[in-house]
């Protein structure tokens, strides 16, 4: 069996602009592995003490446009989706027409803010993009002192690493089955891994991550290594059918979950693999078998014309 190993590193940054020492935030990330293309990532940020926050900055390590950003807030108007994502009973008290969804739980209230309520600007930074969300317009609209912003963007780094390569002739004689091993590392707010411009912006901000929850969901073609996974559960397709990406066409999947309480930055890695048949190897093996069969038949016919064949008879 031929094996290929590939690696990808994603260095994100999430930070706030406001009164220092007066705010913190939780990060929820959902990675949807579709394979080979159509991979996407959901980023949700719950900000506490929102009245002390002016702007939210998200650095994405590849280039995106405003059309790539899909607002996920409208989905929380569906009680089934809200219950599946938060893993608890949710009572929705505000309609989506107000561009703010209020979801009451037993111990807290979440205010889901539509991106249309925020001033959003994008800025290219080296090979990545800085997204800025301004909260100036919503301070008077939020009764609670916290809010939740969530959106979906393409996961271009996975799209590139999963894309089909040209046939590698080195493996043609080894095996018709090729195993591709991928190691994906996601880093958030790891200072040394960020571009200079992001580091300069980030150096004036305080590390205020309270909690990070990461979800990974993949299609059947991908084998996930769950050695370090904290929780595994089947994908609740009946609850999330309207929420999951359009390219994600299978309901027979599992959700892998990690939870961290980082002091400064967050980093983790997961491994996955794919197995596929290399048609070039099959054609080559078939050609060799056919050649041997024809050659053997020709040798047999030549042998019958020799005196040795009559002697053997």
């Amino acid at each position: 069996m031929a094996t290929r190993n590939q690696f990808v590193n994603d260095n994100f940054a999430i930070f706030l602009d406001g009164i220092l020492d007066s705010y913190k935030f939780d990060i929820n990330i959902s990675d949807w592995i579709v394979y080979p293309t159509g991979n996407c990532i959901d980023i949700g940020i719950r900000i506490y003490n929102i009245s002390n926050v002016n702007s939210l900055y998200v650095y994405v390590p590849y280039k995106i446009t405003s059309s790539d950003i899909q607002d996920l807030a409208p989905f929380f108007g569906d009680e089934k989706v809200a219950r599946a994502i938060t893993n608890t009973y949710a009572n929705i008290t505000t309609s989506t027409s107000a561009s703010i969804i209020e979801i009451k739980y037993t111990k807290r209230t979440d205010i889901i803010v539509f991106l249309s309520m925020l001033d959003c600007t994008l800025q290219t930074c080296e090979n990545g993009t800085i997204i800025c969300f301004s909260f100036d317009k919503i301070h008077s609209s939020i009764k609670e002192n916290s809010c939740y912003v969530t959106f979906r963007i393409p996961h271009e780094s996975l799209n590139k690493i999963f894309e089909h390569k040209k046939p590698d002739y080195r493996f043609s004689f080894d095996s018709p089955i090729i195993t591709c091993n991928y190691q994906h590392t996601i880093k958030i707010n790891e200072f040394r891994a960020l571009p200079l411009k992001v580091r300069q912006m980030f150096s004036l901000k305080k590390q205020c991550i309270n909690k990070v929850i990461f979800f990974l969901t993949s299609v059947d073609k991908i084998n996930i290594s769950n050695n370090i996974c904290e929780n595994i559960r089947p994908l609740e397709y009946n609850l999330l059918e309207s929420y999951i990406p359009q390219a994600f066409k299978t309901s027979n999947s599992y959700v892998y979950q990690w939870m961290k309480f980082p002091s400064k930055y967050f980093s983790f890695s997961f491994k996955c693999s794919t197995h596929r048949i290399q048609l070039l190897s099959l054609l080559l093996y078939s050609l060799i078998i056919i050649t041997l069969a024809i050659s053997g038949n020709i040798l047999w016919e030549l042998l019958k014309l020799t005196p040795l064949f009559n002697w053997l008879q």
Side-chain angles (χ1 to χ4, degrees):
M1 181 181 295
T3 303
R4 297 177 181 173
N5 298 309
Q6 299 190 62
F7 305 89
V8 61
N9 292 315
D10 281 332
N11 303 309
F12 290 85
I14 300 174
F15 52 94
L16 303 175
D17 179 27
I19 302 175
L20 292 178
D21 301 322
S22 62
Y23 53 76
K24 60 181 179 178
F25 58 89
D26 298 337
I27 301 174
N28 292 281
I29 296 178
S30 295
D31 219 348
W32 298 90
I33 301 182
V34 179
Y35 187 83
T37 59
N39 302 280
C40 56
I41 184 169
D42 301 348
I43 300 177
I45 301 139
R46 178 181 290 107
I47 305 171
Y48 303 93
N49 296 327
I50 185 63
S51 59
N52 295 325
V53 177
N54 300 321
S55 302
L56 164 67
Y57 292 89
V58 179
Y59 170 71
V60 180
Y62 42 84
K63 293 182 179 180
I64 61 173
T65 63
S66 57
S67 61
D68 293 324
I69 302 175
Q70 179 186 2
D71 187 7
L72 297 179
F75 291 103
F76 284 80
D78 185 342
E79 187 176 305
K80 294 190 299 182
V81 173
R83 186 169 73 247
I85 294 177
T86 60
N87 196 30
T88 185
Y89 175 76
N91 182 23
I92 301 172
T93 61
T94 306
S95 66
T96 57
S97 60
S99 297
I100 291 178
I101 297 178
E102 184 178 287
I103 303 179
K104 290 185 177 295
Y105 307 101
T106 305
K107 296 182 179 180
R108 75 172 192 272
T109 299
D110 272 349
I111 303 296
I112 316 297
V113 180
F114 284 40
L115 296 187
S116 59
M117 294 284 290
L118 309 176
D119 289 330
C120 177
T121 58
L122 276 68
Q123 182 180 0
T124 301
C125 179
E126 296 187 12
N127 294 324
T129 306
I130 299 175
I131 311 171
C132 176
F133 299 102
S134 175
F135 294 101
D136 293 338
K137 292 182 178 180
I138 66 169
H139 283 149
S140 60
S141 304
I142 298 180
K143 300 177 183 179
E144 301 290 333
N145 200 19
S146 66
C147 76
Y148 190 76
V149 177
T150 178
F151 56 92
R152 176 176 294 161
I153 57 176
H155 204 159
E156 290 298 335
S157 53
L158 287 185
N159 287 338
K160 290 181 180 179
I161 197 173
F162 286 153
E163 66 181 357
H164 291 301
K165 310 291 184 184
K166 293 182 179 180
D168 194 334
Y169 300 102
R170 296 175 301 169
F171 298 112
S172 299
F173 291 95
D174 294 346
S175 171
I177 300 177
I178 293 182
T179 298
C180 295
N181 296 320
Y182 305 95
Q183 179 165 326
H184 184 205
T185 300
I186 290 183
K187 300 177 182 179
I188 300 177
N189 291 4
E190 186 167 320
F191 191 81
R192 62 181 181 179
L194 298 172
L196 176 61
K197 186 174 182 178
V198 179
R199 294 202 307 268
Q200 291 173 341
M201 297 175 61
F202 188 53
S203 62
L204 302 176
K205 315 300 177 184
K206 180 188 175 184
Q207 298 276 32
C208 51
I209 301 177
N210 178 58
K211 178 175 63 176
V212 178
I213 303 177
F214 181 84
F215 299 96
L216 174 65
T217 310
S218 69
V219 295
D220 300 340
K221 296 179 182 179
I222 296 289
N223 300 312
I224 303 294
S225 174
N226 56 11
N227 295 337
I228 60 174
C229 182
E230 299 176 3
N231 186 27
I232 303 176
R233 68 174 187 273
L235 175 65
E236 297 167 313
Y237 190 82
N238 59 324
L239 298 178
L240 296 171
E241 184 177 2
S242 63
Y243 177 83
I244 63 177
Q246 293 182 352
F248 201 91
K249 298 179 180 179
T250 177
S251 59
N252 186 24
S253 300
Y254 286 88
V255 180
Y256 304 82
Q257 177 182 332
W258 292 259
M259 180 182 296
K260 300 293 182 182
F261 295 88
S263 57
K264 291 185 177 181
Y265 62 87
F266 175 73
S267 176
F268 78 96
S269 298
F270 67 87
K271 296 179 179 180
C272 58
S273 61
T274 61
H275 306 282
R276 65 183 179 88
I277 296 175
Q278 186 170 227
L279 294 179
L280 182 63
S281 295
L282 293 180
L283 291 175
L284 182 60
Y285 293 161
S286 300
L287 181 61
I288 293 175
I289 293 173
I290 294 173
T291 302
L292 291 176
I294 294 175
S295 301
N297 187 58
I298 293 175
L299 289 175
W300 175 250
E301 293 297 329
L302 292 175
L303 181 61
K304 290 196 297 185
L305 299 176
T306 62
L308 178 61
F309 181 80
N310 296 327
W311 180 78
L312 294 174
Q313 291 289 337

